[in-house]
Amino acid sequence: MKLVFATGNKNKMREIREIMSGLKLDVLSMKEAGIDIDIAEDADSFEGNALIKARAVFDFIREKKIFGDEQVIVLADDSGLEIDALGGEPGVYSARYMGEDTPYSVKNAEIIRRLKRKKGAERGARFRCVIAAILPDGNEIIADGAFEGLIAEEPAGENGFGYDPILYLPEYGRTAAQIPPEEKNRISHRGKALKSMREKLSRSSISGTFENP
Ligand code: IMP
């Protein structure tokens, strides 16, 4: 059985291959599956956007008979940063927040400025990731994961990307950008959502077709 992950991101592909290893599933990116479509992610929730992407890719594979009669699972994810003191912003708008082309150094400095008067738990924030799966029979499964932290007083760290330098993780005493990438993948919102999805797939009606005995 094929599993297509609706992403072009190499890091995400590496993570999903690691987490789905040991299953009888041929894991492919959209590009590897020969799918090149533009999908408008215009929902107002992570779940909504993940479902839009997964359904679009699933329908495309069906219509174009990309894998003939072979069964396919399609997965798609959506993630972002939620800041309690900003009513959950930037949330689904994380990539577009303050403008798509605005450098993260500017976005991160502005977020810290907006939270200037907030102390301790008032600085609560998290990365959230929702993954949607469409099974060969059209059934849908949702899994999610969160990476809880606080908005740092100052950006710190060179690893990672995006908002990593300003999410301080009290459990680790560091920001997400100060954690080595492999370690972050193991404990991150996306890592947790992927693991949860693997467990849900293993409990689904079709698990017999890809689970090794
Ligand atoms: P995507 O849905 O994975 O493409 O993530 C959307 C946006 O959320 C990214 O462009 C980042 O702004 C933000 N984001 C998601 N995950 C992370 C992360 O692990 N670190 C930093 N920023 C993230």
Side-chain angles (χ1 to χ4, degrees):
M1 181 169 333
K2 299 259 188 287
L3 184 150
V4 175
F5 193 16
T7 185
N9 184 307
K10 289 204 177 88
N11 292 321
K12 290 187 186 179
M13 287 313 297
R14 192 174 332 117
E15 265 184 87
I16 189 167
R17 284 205 167 93
E18 240 174 73
I19 288 173
M20 298 295 168
S21 67
L23 299 178
K24 287 184 286 178
L25 281 172
D26 188 10
V27 179
L28 303 170
S29 69
M30 275 206 325
K31 195 170 168 202
E32 288 161 344
I35 301 163
D36 184 15
I37 47 172
D38 267 335
I39 306 164
E41 296 171 37
D42 52 7
D44 58 6
S45 66
F46 296 120
E47 180 174 330
N49 279 332
L51 277 169
I52 286 176
K53 275 187 270 187
R55 286 174 185 154
V57 171
F58 188 84
D59 291 346
F60 186 85
I61 290 172
R62 280 256 163 115
E63 272 162 33
K64 304 277 178 200
K65 294 195 177 301
I66 299 212
F67 301 116
D69 290 331
E70 192 172 357
Q71 296 212 307
V72 183
I73 301 174
V74 176
L75 254 56
D77 76 324
D78 195 43
S79 57
L81 175 68
E82 282 177 353
I83 303 173
D84 295 340
L86 301 180
E89 277 193 17
V92 289
Y93 304 105
S94 290
R96 292 163 274 173
Y97 198 50
M98 298 179 205
E100 190 105 36
D101 298 327
T102 305
Y104 277 93
S105 54
V106 174
K107 299 191 197 199
N108 288 341
E110 176 59 15
I111 288 173
I112 288 174
R113 195 193 63 76
R114 288 186 192 174
L115 265 69
K116 206 166 51 195
R117 291 182 212 296
K118 304 291 178 193
K119 295 271 169 259
E122 290 174 341
R123 303 180 73 87
R126 70 210 55 78
F127 288 133
R128 282 229 305 131
C129 174
V130 175
I131 300 181
I134 318 283
L135 305 186
D137 61 4
N139 273 332
E140 297 174 347
I141 297 180
I142 300 291
D144 66 359
F147 204 15
E148 282 291 336
L150 300 168
I151 296 300
E153 306 271 347
E154 277 176 36
E158 306 296 328
N159 298 324
F161 69 102
Y163 300 103
D164 280 335
I166 60 164
L167 189 72
Y168 177 77
L169 308 159
E171 249 182 274
Y172 301 91
R174 287 172 287 175
T175 68
Q178 291 175 308
I179 291 183
E182 318 75 58
E183 190 181 344
K184 183 187 159 201
N185 286 347
R186 271 202 305 279
I187 56 180
S188 75
H189 48 313
R190 194 161 21 255
K192 287 178 190 159
L194 280 169
K195 276 183 210 129
S196 164
M197 179 55 80
R198 176 175 169 154
E199 280 159 24
K200 289 187 175 191
L201 286 172
S202 292
R203 288 198 301 268
S204 73
S205 56
I206 55 157
S207 67
T209 51
F210 58 76
E211 213 57 89
N212 279 310

